[in-house]
Amino acid sequence: MTKQKIPAVPSIRRLPSYLHLIRQAESEGCEFISGTLIAKELHLEPIQVRKDLAITGIVGKPKRGYPVEQLIAAIEHFLDWDNKKNAVIIGAGNLATALTGYQQFKAHGLNFVGAFDTSPDKIGKQIHGVTIYHIDELAEQAKKHGATIAILTVPSEFAQESADCVVKAGIKAIWNFTNRKLKLPDDVVCQREDLTSGYAILCVMMNE
C-alpha cells in the first residue's frame, strides 16, 4: 500500500496499539480515556495521539477525553476490522503455522480458509484447523470460500511465482512476508512485512 493511496500510514500503524490500550481501559470500567493518558502509556506526544485518532472521525470531549466504547468502534470501523475477511496463506511452513495460530486475527475479522503448498507430505493435513491444499487448487478454493486476502509465507525465490497464482485466482490483496518486491497489476494492493526491521531497531536501541 503506497502513501499516495493510503494517507497517514504511520498513524494507521499506531492505531492497533491504541486499540489494545483502550480495550484494557474498557475492561477496567473506564467510560472515558484521554489522549494524554494514551500518549503517556505509549511514550508518544499528546498532539500526535489526537492527530492519529482524528483520522477515525471521532471527536473527544473537553476535560473528559474520548468515550471508550465509541472510540473502540471508531478505530475498528476505520481499520475495517468490523468486517469479516477470508484469507488464504501460501506456503504451509513454520511462519504459516505461527500466523494461523495467532488468535487475535480472528478478533479483528481475519479468517483463514485454506493454506496452500506444493509438498506432498503436507497436502491434506491441517495447521490449527486450516486445511492444506495443493497450490493448483488455489483458484477453486479461493472462489469457494470467498477469499479476498492472500498471505505469502513462501521462500523468497518462489514469491513472484506464488503472487502470480494469487492474481490468477482473482485475489486483489496480498500480505507479503517474503523479502521480494512483487510485480503486480495496478488493481492489486500489497503490504510487505520486513521481519528484520523490528530486530534492527531493537539492536540499535540496545547499543544506545
Side-chain angles (χ1 to χ4, degrees):
M1 297 182 185
T2 65
K3 290 184 178 180
Q4 288 74 24
K5 292 181 179 180
I6 307 295
V9 169
S11 295
I12 295 173
R13 288 187 180 277
R14 286 188 288 267
L15 288 179
S17 296
Y18 297 168
L19 186 59
H20 177 75
L21 183 64
I22 299 160
R23 282 196 176 281
Q24 183 177 336
E26 181 186 42
S27 69
E28 295 171 356
C30 298
E31 294 184 9
F32 288 84
I33 188 169
S34 70
T36 301
L37 177 61
I38 295 173
K40 181 180 180 180
E41 290 291 330
L42 299 177
H43 305 290
L44 297 169
E45 293 296 328
I47 185 64
Q48 183 64 70
V49 172
R50 288 193 290 270
K51 287 182 178 179
D52 290 345
L53 294 178
I55 67 176
T56 70
I58 195 168
V59 178
K61 297 184 178 181
K63 298 183 180 181
R64 299 201 70 184
Y66 300 90
V68 168
E69 187 176 338
Q70 293 178 29
L71 184 54
I72 290 172
I75 294 175
E76 288 189 330
H77 184 69
F78 178 81
L79 296 174
D80 202 33
W81 282 359
D82 51 358
N83 286 320
K84 182 179 176 180
K85 300 174 186 64
N86 288 339
V88 294
I89 193 160
I90 315 300
N94 292 333
L95 182 54
T97 300
L99 292 174
T100 53
Y102 184 58
Q103 295 301 309
Q104 283 300 308
F105 283 141
K106 289 184 178 181
H108 300 324
L110 185 63
N111 178 45
F112 291 103
V113 295
F116 296 83
D117 209 288
T118 58
S119 173
D121 295 335
K122 298 178 180 179
I123 308 304
K125 296 181 179 179
Q126 293 189 337
I127 46 175
H128 297 291
V130 179
T131 301
I132 303 172
Y133 304 93
H134 192 279
I135 191 65
D136 290 345
E137 298 182 67
L138 175 58
E140 176 187 351
Q141 294 298 328
K143 182 178 181 180
K144 177 180 178 181
H145 295 287
T148 57
I149 299 174
I151 301 172
L152 296 190
T153 61
V154 296
S156 294
E157 60 266 30
F158 301 116
Q160 186 61 57
E161 179 183 351
S162 299
D164 292 342
C165 291
V166 168
V167 172
K168 289 180 181 178
I171 297 173
K172 301 294 184 180
I174 297 176
W175 197 358
N176 179 16
F177 280 84
T178 79
N179 61 11
R180 296 292 174 88
K181 184 177 180 180
L182 304 173
K183 296 179 180 179
L184 300 168
D186 291 339
D187 62 343
V188 176
V189 295
C190 180
Q191 171 65 31
R192 186 164 72 91
E193 296 295 337
D194 184 354
L195 295 180
T196 61
S197 61
Y199 175 56
I201 293 171
L202 178 63
C203 288
V204 172
M205 291 171 64
M206 290 171 64
N207 283 333
E208 293 180 351

